[in-house]
């Protein structure tokens, strides 16, 4: 009689590698490497932005005349009242005004928030009050350089006109020229001063008005 035993199935070899979970440490290392690379890229981007900003600031300052650079320096030193090489809101405001810029409170605060640094807190300061923002000379110089370069040259000329025009008459007459020459220590004769008036007095009224003064300076 034939055997009823079933033929044996081949035995499966269950290797230890089958069904093994992926090594988590490899994923962790890859994630850490990616995060480090992102931080490095961000650092390099900040470095590039800072270098570009410094380059633009140098270009702006190089476009100023030596006299304009000296005026910025003198204004900062004059209104740095406590001589700590930094200026606060009030000192910043009067320094800008001395350079010919009437700036609103909101703009001054915005500039301080963008370019200023907090003052060192003193023991008398309440922790509930935020420290004052102070502006160092380098930041002041950068701000004022940009403002001077953006200013309409007509404004600068008309500021000079106002210095000549005593009393706000709207005209510079012989008496004004005589006074300015004396203040500047220029030994000009009366005939020379009269000749200056006659040369530029286009409407023949014996004085130089704003438009005539602009024409002199812009020609």
């Amino acid at each position: 009689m034939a055997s009823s035993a079933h033929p044996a199935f081949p035995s499966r070899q269950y290797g230890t590698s089958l069904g093994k979970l992926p090594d988590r440490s490899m994923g962790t290392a890859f994630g850490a490497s990616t995060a480090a690379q992102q931080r490095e890229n961000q650092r390099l981007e900040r470095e590039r932005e800072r270098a570009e900003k410094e380059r633009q600031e140098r270009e702006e300052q190089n476009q100023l005349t030596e006299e304009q650079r000296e005026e910025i320096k003198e204004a900062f030193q004059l209104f740095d009242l406590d001589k700590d090489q930094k200026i606060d809101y009030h000192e910043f405001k009067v320094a800008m005004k001395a350079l010919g810029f009437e700036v609103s409170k909101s703009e001054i605060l915005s500039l301080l928030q963008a370019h200023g640094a907090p003052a060192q807190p003193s023991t008398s300061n309440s922790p509930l009050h935020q420290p004052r923002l102070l502006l160092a000379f380098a930041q002041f110089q950068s701000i004022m350089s940009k403002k001077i370069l953006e200013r309409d040259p007509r404004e600068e000329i008309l500021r000079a006109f106002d210095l000549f025009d005593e009393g706000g008459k709207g005209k510079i007459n012989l008496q004004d020229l005589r006074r300015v020459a004396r203040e500047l220590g220029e030994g000009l004769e009366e005939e020379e001063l009269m000749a200056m008036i006659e040369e530029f007095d286009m409407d023949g009224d014996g004085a130089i008005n704003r438009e005539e003064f602009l024409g002199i300076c812009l020609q």
Side-chain angles (χ1 to χ4, degrees), residues 44-80:
L44 293 173
E45 182 63 24
R46 288 194 298 269
E47 289 289 336
R48 282 193 291 268
E49 289 175 356
R50 182 164 58 248
E52 177 63 18
K53 181 180 178 181
E54 291 174 353
R55 184 190 65 79
Q56 291 177 351
E57 289 175 354
R58 286 194 299 271
E59 287 184 355
E60 288 170 353
Q61 292 171 24
N62 289 337
Q63 293 178 51
L64 298 179
T65 66
E66 184 62 33
E67 182 181 0
Q68 287 171 326
R69 286 194 290 269
E70 190 62 27
E71 285 179 352
I72 292 173
K73 182 179 179 181
E74 288 178 357
F76 184 89
Q77 292 175 341
L78 179 62
F79 295 104
D80 176 17

Side-chain angles (χ1 to χ4, degrees), residues 93-182:
K93 181 177 181 178
V94 293
M96 293 184 74
K97 187 172 183 179
L99 290 169
F101 295 94
E102 292 283 353
V103 184
S104 67
K105 178 179 180 179
S106 61
E107 183 178 352
I108 295 174
L109 290 174
S110 177
L111 289 169
L112 281 172
Q113 289 167 358
H115 304 281
Q120 293 296 327
S122 64
T123 55
S124 60
N125 285 345
S126 168
L128 299 177
H129 292 86
Q130 294 184 346
R132 293 179 306 151
L133 291 174
L134 301 178
L135 198 67
F137 175 69
Q139 284 69 45
F140 178 77
Q141 185 180 44
S142 174
I143 292 169
M144 299 317 301
S145 296
K146 185 183 292 292
K147 283 194 165 293
I148 288 173
L149 291 173
E150 292 174 349
R151 182 162 54 191
D152 185 345
R154 290 171 59 94
E155 293 180 11
E156 191 81 6
I157 293 169
L158 292 176
R159 281 182 62 215
F161 179 89
D162 291 337
L163 295 177
F164 280 86
D165 177 19
E166 188 174 36
K169 307 178 297 298
K171 296 182 178 182
I172 300 172
N173 58 25
L174 183 60
Q175 183 179 351
D176 292 324
L177 286 184
R178 192 184 299 123
R179 174 182 53 82
V180 172
R182 184 174 62 252

Side-chain angles (χ1 to χ4, degrees), residues 161 169-174 197-213:
F161 179 89
K169 307 178 297 298
K171 296 182 178 182
I172 300 172
N173 58 25
L174 183 60
I197 295 285
E198 291 172 0
E199 181 178 0
F200 300 108
D201 176 19
M202 298 292 102
D203 57 7
D205 64 350
I208 299 172
N209 61 33
R210 287 176 176 268
E211 291 304 317
E212 290 166 345
F213 192 79

